[in-house]
Amino acid sequence: MGERGAGVRVAVVGAGVVGLTTATMLQEALPGASITVLADKFGQETTSDGAAGIFWPGHHIRGEEEGDQRRWSSLSYAYYKRILESGDAVEAGVKRFSGYLFSNKESVWEPFLKLIIDEYRECTPDELRLHGYKYGVFLTTLLTECRSYLPYLTRRITARGGRMERRHLKSLEELVGHYDIVCNCSGFGAKELCRDMNVTAIRGQVFKVKAPWLKNFYFVDGGTYIIPGIEFVTLGGTKNFDSNNAEVNKYDSQAIWERCVAVVPSLKDAEVRNGQGV
């Protein structure tokens, strides 16, 4: 018998975290297929590169069926945990870490996460008093830092014979006749590529700082976050709906800095490496 997918031509459109992960999983499922990743941006050019990479699926993730959120989250966590427990964890930028979700506005408890991640519990009264919040959760989850993860996936794809092609597509119809399967992982690019006017950009801005003494992550009221990565700590953020501006805004920078220092005062001594609009 021949290999599964033998002779099948597959195009994956988009080289962010979704596109490259999709390409590697297709190579595993269809080892005989020819996989090509088509994108006009790669590596540090992509939005994925600036992402902190914490595994924390919130209540906004929804599917058509009631159980989709839990099923998708379970499969995703198992995928990253396999990398963590393999010999590739350091190369892929995957690590286990712990931290807090806090709010003075509403409960941050997500019951389904207790069944998925390694540790998930409500904060004790002492923890809430110490940090000064009304509601809180302590959890242990995974970080997948894209600055390492994207190159890791790229190496895996090319080592298995996959191709990376820099190309700007104006329509998926350009691929008709050249590929048997097309996977659209173009993210925000789908607005023009698929003429889908329902796709809306959400602008985010972050800092990358050096603060090696910081071990736990913090999310406060959904909009302020402090996430220790492998080399840098990511401070954020913003959620500007329907904004395509990728430039760093100095007013957003000041607001992010003030909010994060209020949560963890020792950050005032951190070395700022850069600010990013993503």
Side-chain angles (χ1 to χ4, degrees):
M1 292 180 64
E3 288 184 305
R4 291 191 308 277
V8 176
R9 302 164 298 172
V10 181
V12 176
V13 180
V17 63
V18 175
L20 296 186
T21 302
T22 297
T24 58
M25 298 192 75
L26 284 169
Q27 286 182 318
E28 293 172 6
L30 302 171
S34 170
I35 308 291
T36 301
V37 177
L38 301 170
D40 55 6
K41 294 180 181 179
F42 287 89
Q44 294 186 20
E45 301 168 333
T46 66
T47 300
S48 294
D49 180 75
I54 186 173
F55 184 91
W56 175 37
H59 59 83
H60 59 282
I61 297 175
R62 289 288 185 270
E64 293 184 0
E65 303 295 332
E66 185 176 345
D68 285 344
Q69 180 191 37
R70 178 178 169 184
R71 179 169 58 85
W72 293 340
S73 299
S74 297
L75 290 170
S76 297
Y77 193 72
Y79 169 84
Y80 291 110
K81 196 169 182 179
R82 283 197 300 272
I83 297 176
L84 176 74
E85 294 171 349
S86 74
D88 292 345
V90 173
E91 181 187 0
V94 179
K95 72 171 186 175
R96 179 183 283 111
F97 70 156
S98 302
Y100 296 93
L101 313 180
F102 287 124
S103 177
N104 280 321
K105 299 177 181 178
E106 59 185 353
S107 172
V108 292
W109 182 256
E110 295 283 359
F112 81 99
L113 284 178
K114 187 174 179 62
L115 304 173
I116 296 171
I117 62 177
D118 291 355
E119 182 179 12
Y120 191 79
R121 62 170 175 80
E122 291 187 288
C123 287
T124 66
D126 286 343
E127 287 173 318
L128 293 175
R129 280 194 296 270
L130 175 64
H131 292 93
Y133 295 98
K134 186 176 181 180
Y135 306 101
V137 171
F138 179 84
L139 63 151
T140 298
T141 184
L142 300 177
L143 175 97
T144 302
E145 194 164 272
C146 285
R147 187 61 57 93
S148 299
Y149 184 60
L150 296 183
Y152 163 75
L153 292 178
T154 300
R155 288 191 292 270
R156 289 189 65 192
I157 293 166
T158 55
R160 292 173 173 174
R163 295 177 57 247
M164 301 288 172
E165 181 179 330
R166 186 180 293 270
R167 178 176 173 183
H168 179 77
L169 293 173
K170 294 183 179 180
S171 169
L172 293 178
E173 293 175 359
E174 296 176 29
L175 305 179
V176 173
H178 301 283
Y179 296 94
D180 304 300
I181 299 171
V182 174
C183 298
N184 180 18
C185 304
S186 58
F188 178 64
K191 183 169 188 172
E192 294 185 4
L193 187 61
C194 301
R195 300 174 182 85
D196 186 349
M197 295 301 106
N198 290 320
V199 175
T200 302
I202 304 175
R203 178 184 177 277
Q205 184 170 313
V206 298
F207 275 107
K208 299 288 186 179
V209 304
K210 279 277 194 178
W213 60 87
L214 196 63
K215 305 304 179 185
N216 289 334
F217 62 81
Y218 297 85
F219 277 80
V220 178
D221 283 325
T224 300
Y225 50 87
I226 301 162
I227 305 176
I230 294 170
E231 185 176 2
F232 302 117
V233 179
T234 301
L235 309 182
T238 64
K239 285 187 178 180
N240 305 129
F241 282 81
D242 202 22
S243 173
N244 301 322
N245 184 8
E247 299 299 318
V248 174
N249 181 292
K250 65 179 182 180
Y251 301 108
D252 286 338
S253 296
Q254 184 64 28
I256 292 168
W257 183 259
E258 290 175 358
R259 296 199 316 264
C260 289
V261 170
V263 175
V264 179
S266 67
L267 283 171
K268 69 180 186 300
D269 299 318
E271 176 189 350
V272 178
R273 298 308 298 266
N274 60 48
Q276 290 178 280
V278 296

